[in-house]
Amino acid sequence: MLCTFKQLIEKDDMFLDNFLFGNGFSRGFHDFGYQTLYKVAEDKLTPKQKHLFKTFTNTSNFEEILHALKTTMKVNDLYNISNDDLQKEYLHIKDTLIRSVHDIHPEFDYLGNEKILMLVKVFLLFKGNIFTTNYDLLSYWGQVKVSHFRNYKNITDLFGKRPKGYLHFKKEKEDPNATTLYFLHGGLHLFMDDKGDVRKVVKKDTSELLLDAIEESINEGNLPLYVAEGNSDDKYKAIQSNFYLDHCYDSLNNLTGYLTIYGQDLGNSDNHLIDAVKQSKVKKIAYGIYDVAHSGEIKERIIQSIPEKEIVFFDSRDFVTTIYNTSLTGLSDEEILKGIQEKKTTIPL
């Protein structure tokens, strides 16, 4: 019989050290299906555009397709070839990406106080590094809201303004005394500019919604940096091709201590994650199982995938409620709610 997450951390709170989570985490915080951007967008694409995705790159990555169209138009300009049709295709696909981001994601206030409190407590409770393969905005929101409680906890996502004046990836922001958030597969709020910097989309003022800021950024030609769906080899190649994503992956690869894994299947499409965990210096792993009816099969698969590590398994169905009901020393739920309802956020430099 599996222990609950509550029993797990009561027995050994070292499992609140490092945290790796995937799609199952998002499902616990909002009630829409965690669908891929391409699947959401598919019905909005024309047959010719679907064919382009399928035959040109065999990918579901909007960035690759839009970049290819843009490059083709530049070549056409050199040879005085009309770009009218390509321009229409480019604008339609870009507009489809924007609408799909809105379709797939709620606004922050949609979550409600209870789920917002649960989200923030996750980032307050785990003491070490936090890794996510999700490219939605939940982790972004969690990190920003936790930054209100700097007297309680330091947290960084490795983005800062100095010396360039805009939020960009800064490896030197790593602090052994702070919790670091790593977006292993990128995020909707991240993009690479024409200078090669990985940057973070920010709201121009407190009244602007983050999704609107992302839409504006896409309209300006800044496409979200995220690893699209595909097999593990394709994901790993995409990670290696970007210095920010590669740094996040190396950080998992060099991890020490304990690691709790929740909402991450670790199936064939996650072999690159399995390899990083295997090569890490993690001492113990706690792996959450939601489908308890098939726990025996899942245990066997995970143990075979990571035979070098000591693994304990827990029933992850109580993960969210356990987080919600866990009391934080020196910080009440009322204080947390008051802090996260603040409209202004301080952007760390």
Side-chain angles (χ1 to χ4, degrees):
M1 184 176 178
L2 296 171
C3 69
T4 64
F5 182 68
K6 185 175 185 292
Q7 291 168 335
L8 175 79
I9 60 175
E10 284 177 347
K11 184 177 180 180
D12 191 346
D13 66 359
M14 284 296 292
F15 285 114
L16 290 174
D17 187 7
N18 302 297
F19 187 38
L20 165 63
F21 63 89
N23 295 352
F25 180 88
S26 292
R27 292 193 187 102
F29 286 90
H30 46 70
D31 57 9
F32 67 88
Y34 192 95
Q35 295 175 287
T36 66
L37 279 175
Y38 181 78
K39 286 180 181 177
V40 172
E42 200 167 9
D43 291 340
K44 304 180 184 75
L45 296 171
T46 67
K48 184 183 287 187
Q49 289 164 355
K50 292 177 187 177
H51 187 67
L52 180 64
F53 273 88
K54 184 177 181 181
T55 61
F56 184 74
T57 60
N58 194 27
T59 182
S60 55
N61 193 327
F62 280 87
E63 183 182 14
E64 287 187 35
I65 294 297
L66 290 169
H67 178 73
L69 286 170
K70 209 167 189 178
T71 301
T72 304
M73 287 189 284
K74 287 180 179 178
V75 173
N76 284 349
D77 284 339
L78 290 173
Y79 289 91
N80 295 317
I81 299 171
S82 173
N83 277 318
D84 290 349
D85 289 341
L86 287 180
Q87 181 70 15
K88 289 177 184 176
E89 295 291 291
Y90 178 87
L91 292 174
H92 183 267
I93 292 173
K94 186 172 75 169
D95 181 63
T96 299
L97 170 61
I98 291 169
R99 285 186 288 145
S100 299
V101 168
H102 274 273
D103 288 347
I104 204 173
H105 216 295
E107 291 292 351
F108 179 74
D109 290 339
Y110 170 87
L111 298 178
N113 280 346
E114 183 176 297
K115 289 182 178 179
I116 290 171
L117 180 60
M118 288 189 287
L119 173 64
V120 172
K121 285 179 101 172
V122 168
F123 286 81
L124 287 169
L125 278 167
F126 282 92
K127 306 174 185 70
N129 299 303
I130 297 177
F131 300 87
T132 179
T133 56
N134 297 346
Y135 51 75
D136 62 31
L137 299 177
L138 286 172
S139 298
Y140 175 96
W141 287 331
Q143 184 258 329
V144 167
K145 294 303 178 182
V146 167
S147 68
H148 285 291
F149 308 103
R150 289 181 182 173
N151 290 336
Y152 187 87
K153 180 173 190 171
N154 290 324
I155 188 167
T156 178
D157 60 0
L158 304 182
F159 285 79
K161 278 190 174 181
R162 294 175 181 159
K164 300 181 180 182
Y166 54 80
L167 282 171
H168 62 287
F169 167 55
K170 297 174 63 178
K171 186 177 178 180
E172 61 269 24
K173 288 279 290 180
E174 280 186 320
D175 180 351
N177 298 313
T179 293
T180 303
L181 171 61
Y182 297 97
F183 290 90
L184 291 166
H185 288 172
L188 295 176
H189 64 297
L190 303 177
F191 67 94
M192 179 172 280
D193 67 14
D194 54 8
K195 298 175 184 176
D197 274 333
V198 174
R199 296 174 60 174
K200 187 163 70 171
V201 176
V202 292
K203 300 187 295 182
K204 291 181 179 177
D205 56 61
T206 56
S207 64
E208 185 180 26
L209 297 174
L210 180 58
L211 283 172
D212 291 338
I214 290 172
E215 177 179 338
E216 184 177 343
S217 178
I218 294 172
N219 269 324
E220 292 171 354
N222 303 317
L223 302 176
L225 172 66
Y226 69 97
V227 177
E229 304 67 37
N231 62 46
S232 182
D233 288 342
D234 289 340
K235 290 178 180 178
Y236 183 55
K237 287 175 185 175
I239 289 168
Q240 283 188 308
S241 69
N242 181 275
F243 64 95
Y244 165 73
L245 298 179
D246 192 47
H247 178 74
C248 293
Y249 184 83
D250 283 346
S251 297
L252 178 62
N253 196 72
N254 294 310
L255 193 64
T256 61
Y258 282 42
L259 175 64
T260 293
I261 303 174
Y262 171 73
Q264 188 74 55
D265 182 57
L266 294 186
N268 290 333
S269 64
D270 296 324
N271 282 336
H272 58 299
L273 300 177
I274 292 170
D275 289 341
V277 172
K278 284 166 68 174
Q279 292 175 37
S280 74
K281 296 177 182 176
V282 166
K283 185 178 179 182
K284 276 188 179 182
I285 296 171
Y287 183 86
I289 297 176
Y290 191 85
D291 184 8
V292 294
H294 297 94
S295 61
E297 302 162 31
I298 295 170
K299 280 183 181 181
E300 184 178 355
R301 174 172 62 82
I302 298 301
I303 290 170
Q304 287 178 352
S305 297
I306 317 174
E308 303 87 351
K309 304 296 182 184
E310 182 179 347
I311 307 173
V312 297
F313 297 90
F314 65 94
D315 182 343
S316 66
R317 292 176 298 177
D318 78 321
F319 178 87
V320 170
T321 53
T322 297
I323 293 291
Y324 182 74
N325 292 320
T326 300
S327 298
L328 295 166
T329 304
L331 194 61
S332 69
D333 287 358
E334 290 75 20
E335 289 173 305
I336 296 172
L337 280 172
K338 183 179 178 182
I340 63 180
Q341 286 166 353
E342 294 276 344
K343 293 298 181 183
K344 292 183 179 179
T345 60
T346 302
I347 301 298
L349 299 181

